[in-house]
Amino acid sequence: MDLQVALLLGQDGLTNGAIYALLALALVLVFAVTRVVFIPQGEFVAFGALTLASFQADKTPGTLWLLLAAGGLVSLFEVGAALRRRKLGLVAPTLLWNLAYPALAAAIAVLGHPVAWPLAFQVLLSLALVVPLGPMVYRLAFQPLAEASVLVLLIVAVAVHLVLVGLGLLIFGAEGSRTPPFSEASFEIGSIAVNGQTVWVLVASLVLVGSLFVFFDRTLRGKALRATALNRTGARLMGISTVKAGKQAFMLAALIGAFSGVLIAPITTIYYDSGFLIGLKGFVGAIVGGLTSYPIAAAGAVLVGLLESYSSFWASAFKEVIVFTLIIPVLLWRSLKSQDIDEHQ
Amino acid sequence: MKLRIVAAMLVAATFVSVARADVNVGVTLSATGPAASLGIPEKNTVALMPTIIAGQKINYVVLDDASDTTTAVKNARKLVSENKVDVIVGSTTSPNSLAMIDVAAEAETPMISMAASSAIVDPVDARRRWVFKTPQNDVQMSTAIVEHMTNNGIKNVAFIGFADAYGEGWFREFSKVAELRKLKIVASERFNRTDTSVTGQVLKILSSNPDAVLVAGAGTPAALPQTTLKERGYKGRVYQTHGVANNDFLRVGGNSVEGTFLPAGPVLVAAQLPESNPVKKSALEYVNKYETAYGKGSTSTFGAHAWDAGLLLQNAIPVALKKGQPGSKEFRSALRDALEGLKNVTVSHGVVNMSAVDHLGFDQRARVMVKIENGAWKLQ
């Protein structure tokens, strides 16, 4: 291995690592706020990428029907709950978000002819279709169980993952898609060529991490989320709605997932089930951070990306083994070091 | 009293339906999971198969094994014990088919696999007596590739394949043939279907400076190594296997798969075959039938393997019907013998001549070399 190969591998590892880092952050966020180990995180990656690809192939993306159906279900639940509790004032905003908004987005996607739009608008519309699925999934699958144990929530998360993968096969088909890169530009840094998409991935990840930091540190909503993560009961006593916090966490997770999908779709072919493995590598990163620390999780995910890249050069047949074996020493070290894992149980 | 009569009628009805002597064909295939892109066209094809053969009604029981070996075995057991099928067709992938051999042999039910690995029917022993298959062996295909390489002055070649049974099987067969023909394998790399990047493997391949690269993957995931090779400025030849022979591969690969060579079943380029080719008519018949039902450009060679299994049955069932009643042990055994005795049956992938030692029955006519030109398959 000469220096050039090492640098190219490093570049590749960083690109994938940046995506894993974003997913690791989303996983830590969801776990901290709702105690859900969010296995279906990867599905949002696939949904985001494939929705964008559908627009470019001039097809109506299947996510549209999924959004309409999920919105309809949520509306039914919410209206039923509102009627039981005789709080009819809640009905209007619920219907607005779960029926009117999906219908509007659907109308735009069907009638607006997005194939002719510039890429940036296609990306925005894809996000607009996929991201609301996050809070809807929370409402349907997790909110009724919000007080259940971590194990129950994990089992539900696995079930949601299987449902979403199945739906993905149904609406997108078995074959994968690729989308054109955000920029065709290519730079020469020293002796190696860096392509535009790599720069896009790195910059977008940094910007997203930065804005998450600002959100959690500087805004009231972000602080409310942090408070919920630290102490649910305490947060409720302070008048923070844990339900709302849960929905916001899932919305952010869906946003991060779908955006990662849009970022990675020009680099590789994405299939309806690609998301799981990408999410799992983000999960390894999140585990390194003990599912609590954002910076360590992000660093762990970048490490996973680099390890993957270099091991694919040295021993490609064992790449996956090497990456996932990383989790064992980390878990050993963490379980020896810390005694306070049960704090949230 | 009334209840008793109803119950008696229900029991009677069940007996009637069992006694009715239709031929039951049990199908298990991978319509979901990683092999779905192969399993779905197979499933579509089963729906086009004839429901009456030689005046006998044929029932198809189609199950999905989700590309999972355990489920495939469970399906096979269910088909023989609950549905009392006379023949099993399936499964889509080699690992699934290999695992189902025991069930077929135990239940003494003939089985026709739609998977590639030669280990499914070779050697024909006490268990594999019952097993047949329709796709070309990987040995036949690797010989075709190696021949094409050596004829074109290629001296050393790099290999990159799936890190699973498909890639390993190909490497084993390919390296055997390559050694015989003095072709040097300078790099052997693996990748996963779901990998988002193969830069590491490709850099390693480039550093070994090969005249040609063989990518052994199935379906659209096999496009990724080639795209990366192109990105990294590789100028040599690239060979693919027949596992990529569907139009989605062309869509996903786009420009970067131009000029690729691969061996494939003749059905892939049915319209381009010369009139003298005996396979042309049966291949075109399948393509027309499939595209009428599912739209233009929708055929794949995988669905054709299922079609061929159907053609074998259409030729074997009339013979077996003379020896026994469907649903009986005699019929299943006669069906096995009839399958083994098939001679000169033209299917969409070639001409089948079965024998007691060959349960595939293909010869040279079952493969052609194809080049990708202007985003389309071109017969060489």
Side-chain angles (χ1 to χ4, degrees), chain B residues 69-90:
Chain B
T69 308
T70 318
T71 317
V73 173
K74 229 186 312 179
N75 283 352
R77 285 204 189 285
K78 183 165 182 278
L79 288 170
V80 292
S81 61
E82 279 179 37
N83 302 90
K84 311 270 183 234
V85 298
D86 300 297
V87 55
I88 302 173
V89 175

Side-chain angles (χ1 to χ4, degrees), chain A:
Chain A
M1 180 157 66
D2 55 16
L3 183 68
Q4 190 180 4
V5 169
L7 285 174
L8 279 172
L9 288 175
Q11 177 196 341
D12 191 57
L14 276 182
T15 317
N16 281 321
I19 300 282
Y20 301 153
L22 286 178
L23 297 177
L25 292 183
L27 284 165
V28 172
L29 168 69
V30 169
F31 183 77
V33 175
T34 63
R35 297 173 307 131
V36 175
V37 178
F38 198 40
I39 312 277
Q41 178 66 47
E43 266 62 73
F44 289 97
V45 179
F47 282 13
L50 291 173
T51 306
L52 180 62
S54 309
F55 284 141
Q56 286 168 350
D58 201 12
K59 286 189 208 146
T60 310
T63 14
L64 200 85
W65 314 122
L66 193 59
L67 181 68
L68 287 170
L73 266 180
V74 173
S75 307
L76 268 182
F77 277 19
E78 290 284 0
V79 170
L83 286 179
R84 248 180 289 126
R85 285 156 58 199
R86 300 187 191 287
K87 285 187 177 168
L88 293 176
L90 294 174
V91 172
T94 311
L95 293 185
L96 183 72
W97 277 112
N98 294 302
L99 282 184
Y101 171 77
L104 180 72
I108 295 177
V110 173
L111 305 173
H113 218 64
V115 69
W117 296 3
L119 185 61
F121 287 101
Q122 290 179 343
V123 168
L124 280 181
L125 187 59
S126 309
L127 294 181
L129 286 180
V130 177
V131 173
L133 285 173
M136 288 173 186
V137 164
Y138 177 74
R139 174 63 189 89
L140 293 175
F142 296 104
Q143 189 182 319
L145 297 165
E147 302 302 324
S149 70
V150 173
L151 188 61
V152 171
L153 292 172
L154 173 67
I155 294 167
V156 174
V158 172
V160 171
H161 156 69
L162 292 173
V163 168
L164 286 181
V165 169
L167 289 171
L169 176 62
L170 194 67
I171 61 186
F172 294 114
E175 290 297 348
S177 295
R178 256 181 118 114
T179 59
F182 290 5
S183 92
E184 298 276 1
S186 183
F187 312 93
E188 292 279 333
I189 300 179
S191 62
I192 63 164
V194 179
N195 52 25
Q197 190 63 27
T198 306
V199 180
W200 258 103
V201 170
L202 291 176
V203 171
S205 309
L206 284 177
V207 168
L208 209 53
V209 170
S211 39
L212 280 178
F213 178 77
V214 172
F215 174 73
F216 283 118
D217 214 50
R218 296 275 180 273
T219 67
L220 196 61
R221 275 195 177 184
K223 285 180 181 166
L225 278 186
R226 265 172 62 204
T228 322
L230 279 177
N231 188 331
R232 286 170 69 80
T233 319
R236 281 178 86 162
L237 289 173
M238 291 298 120
I240 295 169
S241 160
T242 48
V243 169
K244 226 177 207 168
K247 278 186 185 161
Q248 281 164 1
F250 271 68
M251 185 144 152
L252 272 176
L255 174 71
I256 295 172
F259 192 63
S260 312
V262 168
L263 279 178
I264 204 171
I267 301 177
T268 182
T269 319
I270 296 285
Y271 299 83
Y272 72 98
D273 60 346
S274 297
F276 180 59
L277 211 60
I278 303 176
L280 214 54
K281 284 172 188 158
F283 183 69
V284 175
I287 287 289
V288 174
L291 276 176
T292 48
S293 160
Y294 292 98
I296 302 180
V302 172
L303 176 73
V304 169
L306 287 171
L307 192 67
E308 189 184 32
S309 178
Y310 285 100
S311 57
S312 74
F313 184 86
W314 289 117
S316 58
F318 298 102
K319 190 193 78 175
E320 240 52 315
V321 180
I322 295 172
V323 168
F324 289 111
T325 309
L326 178 69
I327 214 168
I328 295 174
V330 170
L331 282 180
L332 266 179
W333 167 66
R334 288 209 79 92
S335 61
L336 288 177
K337 199 189 89 172
S338 67
Q339 305 295 325
D340 57 353
I341 299 166
D342 287 329
E343 188 189 357
H344 291 298
Q345 295 274 354

Side-chain angles (χ1 to χ4, degrees), chain A residues 12 175-176 271 273 316 319, chain B residues 37 190 193 195 197 220-221 251:
Chain A
D12 191 57
E175 290 297 348
Y271 299 83
D273 60 346
S316 58
K319 190 193 78 175
Chain B
S37 67
R190 298 288 181 279
R193 204 184 72 89
D195 274 355
S197 157
T220 41
R251 172 177 62 83

